[in-house]
Amino acid sequence: MTGQLDGPFDVIVIGAGTAGLPTAISAAERGARTLLVDKSDDIGGTLHVTAGQMSAAGTELQRRKGIEDHPDSHFEDAIRIAKGTSDADLVRLAVDLAPGTLDWLTGEGFEFDPVCPKIFYGHEAYSVARTYWGVDGGRSHLKVLRRLLARARETGRLDLRLETEMTGLTGDGTGAITGIEVRGAGGGVERIEGKNVVLTTGGYGADPKLFARLTQGFPLFTCAMPTSTGEGILCGESAGGVIRNGEKFLPTFGGIEVAGEPGRIDFENMPNLIPQVRPPWEIYVNLKGRRFVAEDNPSVDAREHALMKQPEMTFWIVFDDHILRNAPPFLGNWLTNRNEWDAASIEAAFDSHPSFRRGATLAELAGLCGLDESALSATVAEYNRAAKTGNDPLGRTNFPAPISQPPFYAVKAHGTLLKSPAGLTINTKLQVLDKDGRPIPNLHALGEAIGGATLSGQSFVGGMSVTPALGFGRLLGGKLLQW
Ligand SMILES: Cc1cc2nc3c(=O)[nH]c(=O)nc-3n(C[C@H](O)[C@H](O)[C@H](O)COP(=O)(O)OP(=O)(O)OC[C@H]3O[C@@H](n4cnc5c(N)ncnc54)[C@H](O)[C@@H]3O)c2cc1C
């Protein structure tokens, strides 16, 4: 039975993505008359694009590989990596729920990449192998959640309405939330009553204006799902919620723009700039023509923080013909092994892609990149001296070859948004809090709507978005909500 239900509902979940799906499914499984709405024409949200990496300690998969681990160690690592900038109470809740989340997925037939659990070096490394991902990124999660959603809808307790956009929250005048206002596919506006309203609308990484307001001072290069436009955060704010953590932005290290789409980063083709996986042959040069970090610094957090301070958070990956022909490629997706970059397409990109430049001389390359010619020449000369002596002012230790054989090449890369930092303040019952720290009655939030920095701080703590989105959702729908 999957027909439309009449309100009022016990639970209304807004956003059928990573966090909203498990919330609505668990609530319906527990007997709640549940409404799940999404403005998109399909469920899944960011699961369509995310790498979907998760982290958890003390899982069945770790035991099978003889890895000893415990949520206490996960907690210590998560706090260490975030340097105390995350919400410790919520991090504790997240790491405690994480092994149950992973074991649940295992039981539901989630298709893990067989190499997992692993230590993953694309984010600051955990001390233990506790990172997991699916064979098809977030689409592996979606496969499981689609099946579970269909089963929940069969109970007749879960109504899914797509192409239905929440435009506001409704209240009783005392501050308590009583439902939502939505605009359907036909443009008509409707009010729907619910005893609990859960905001799982995701982040704001696809909305440049809201990004400029909440995360001031940073350019936006993004691979966020286009639906991540922050309405849930703003509706929560209008209801008295408090937005926090906008200043705790950290870009991930080095995405390349999609040709013809300024600001949009091609996540499927993130370059491999992970020194533990591929020691660098190239140098990274900022818009002033200067290197700004040891390219082989093993701390990606250090490289990300250095990049954040560079003009326009932009740099050129500079190399020469010898490196192009002899180094292992840095183009091509190192995570999914989907590789659109063969030798011919790399050559073609230097003829046509706006982020790729080739110059017969360093001076010509500098001109094509808009860099100061003498600054780039001095930078390359200094690097070549370091490659000879082994003594680099920035502390680099890996020097496979100098940069001296023309033609010279440069690929433009940017600090990239994966998760937007700001979001609604919540407590460990996942209730949205007002300015006095009091729960707004009947209003809950989780997922990126609570801000990507809440659980990761100004850092990337691996898996600390997807795992808690799933875990918090199951906790809220399966236990915390009352009706
Ligand atoms: C490229 C990329 C890679 C990433 N990799 C990782 C990773 O490996 N590990 C990790 O932990 N995190 C990762 N992240 C972050 C993580 O994937 C997200 O933070 C998380 O998936 C967000 O889940 P969510 O449920 O909050 O939002 P979403 O999954 O985006 O769901 C929100 C849903 O709400 C809907 N919606 C929005 N507004 C409205 C409205 N007004 N009315 C109705 N519906 C609405 C949207 O259509 C969407 O379906 C990555 C993010 C990106 C972009």
Side-chain angles (χ1 to χ4, degrees), residues 268-290:
E268 289 291 323
N269 285 290
M270 288 293 275
N272 182 351
L273 307 182
I274 305 174
Q276 292 90 341
V277 181
R278 177 194 178 275
W281 290 51
E282 304 75 16
I283 57 171
Y284 308 153
V285 171
N286 68 14
L287 297 186
K288 292 180 175 161
R290 305 295 304 167

Side-chain angles (χ1 to χ4, degrees), residues 14-20 37-40 42-47 49-54 123 164-167 200-203 223-225 227-232 267 335 417-419 446-449 452 461-469:
I14 305 120
T18 320
V37 303
D38 201 292
K39 66 181 177 181
S40 182
D42 190 13
I43 64 164
T46 299
L47 289 174
V49 297
T50 179
Q53 290 197 335
M54 299 171 284
H123 299 313
T164 301
E165 181 177 6
M166 176 190 63
T167 50
T200 50
T201 40
C223 44
M225 188 70 188
T227 48
S228 298
T229 46
E231 296 100 83
F267 185 70
L335 184 62
L417 177 142
L418 283 187
K419 55 183 170 56
L446 63 148
E448 212 171 308
V461 183
M464 262 300 179
S465 296
V466 167
T467 330

Side-chain angles (χ1 to χ4, degrees), residues 3-34:
Q4 186 158 319
L5 301 177
D6 293 325
F9 289 89
D10 299 320
V11 176
I12 301 177
V13 180
I14 305 120
T18 320
L21 286 167
T23 308
I25 292 166
S26 330
E29 280 174 352
R30 213 173 117 219
R33 296 180 82 256
T34 305

Side-chain angles (χ1 to χ4, degrees), residues 171-189:
D172 65 359
T174 70
I177 299 304
T178 55
I180 59 172
E181 199 172 73
V182 293
R183 188 169 40 233
V189 173

Side-chain angles (χ1 to χ4, degrees), residues 218-235:
F218 297 100
L220 180 59
F221 299 99
T222 185
C223 44
M225 188 70 188
T227 48
S228 298
T229 46
E231 296 100 83
I233 298 172
L234 294 179
C235 286

